[in-house]
Amino acid sequence: MRFADTIAFVTGAASGMGLATARAFAAEGAVVYGADISTEALDREFSGLPGAVPLPLDIADSAAVDAAMARVAADHGRLGVLVNAAGVNAPHRAALEMLNAENEKSFQAMKTGVPHHSVFIESVSDDDFDRVMKINAYGVFYTTRAATPLLKANGRGAVVNFSSAAALMGVTMPPYYPASKAAVLGMTREAAAELAPFGITVNALAPGAVDTPLFRQSDDDFIDFLIGMQPIRRTASPDEIARTVLFLASEDGAYYTGQTISPSGGLVMH
């Protein structure tokens, strides 16, 4: 198995791409610490998963992140892989419902030819912007900072950060999401340059349409519209994304660092 004797830490591990990634590492022999704010979902999904350790964690809390990594240090003294998959596209339910409603208005306007111009920048509060940045950007910083000594102690390692196709294109949406995901790309490149001398690679994924519970919260017609923008007109499965993560963390991906790979069905080409 490719990851026997590997210690992995995966955030956002209770659902979607994070869960698929945690399962994939476990299937390849790794000990997987799965972190997520949803304790109930984490316990349910990790029950009976060999080599998996559920860790309830709010990655926006730096002290909690430090404590979680301290547990890994106490258990193993090292870490081979860090996957930052946790993230949100809205700070709370009301903001998500507003986003979905605006997307539906824009979609209907395109079908009817009646102009509709969404207003997001003016309607975002300081608290909403801060909350998304704390999870999507600060959370990646907190985990990377806490994990770095353990990755160095391992002698080599890999970090894979989840960004988004929205960080690479002009998308009309609340600015906290593309801003936070673009910040992840900057941190990825900096960490890649700094940690390369220690045998640690750092790369980012910028997925497009992936069939997760979060993605399926949008209206079906709007989802079909989004998929129709891609040359490959389907969603990706979380397992497909997980296999890309495993590649980047494996010996096969050892010459990749500081890269942004966009599994987006051709929505992003560069």
Side-chain angles (χ1 to χ4, degrees), residues 25-56:
F25 274 111
E28 290 281 357
V31 173
V32 182
Y33 287 79
D36 201 284
I37 198 169
S38 178
T39 302
E40 182 179 343
L42 193 62
D43 288 341
R44 181 180 66 250
E45 298 296 348
F46 272 47
S47 177
L49 189 63
V53 181
L55 276 179

Side-chain angles (χ1 to χ4, degrees), residues 194-260:
E194 180 177 339
L195 299 180
F198 302 95
I200 301 165
T201 62
V202 188
N203 293 288
L205 294 183
V210 182
D211 193 2
T212 65
L214 188 65
F215 182 71
R216 286 294 170 186
Q217 289 178 345
S218 298
D219 180 85
D220 287 344
D221 287 343
F222 183 69
I223 288 174
D224 290 341
F225 166 71
L226 290 177
I227 295 170
M229 296 170 63
Q230 303 172 180
I232 299 175
R233 296 192 173 181
R234 64 172 179 86
T235 58
S237 72
D239 289 338
E240 286 180 276
I241 306 304
R243 288 194 291 271
T244 305
V245 176
L246 262 62
F247 164 75
L248 290 171
S250 73
E251 289 293 340
D252 292 335
Y255 202 57
Y256 291 77
T257 200
Q259 301 303 304
T260 299

Side-chain angles (χ1 to χ4, degrees), residues 98 102 106 116-124 172-175:
M98 183 272 288
E102 281 298 309
S106 297
H116 173 73
H117 303 291
S118 297
V119 177
F120 290 119
I121 296 173
E122 299 165 56
S123 63
V124 172
T172 301
M173 66 186 307

Side-chain angles (χ1 to χ4, degrees), residues 48-69:
L49 189 63
V53 181
L55 276 179
L57 177 65
D58 178 2
I59 62 166
D61 182 340
S62 64
V65 171
D66 289 345
M69 288 296 176

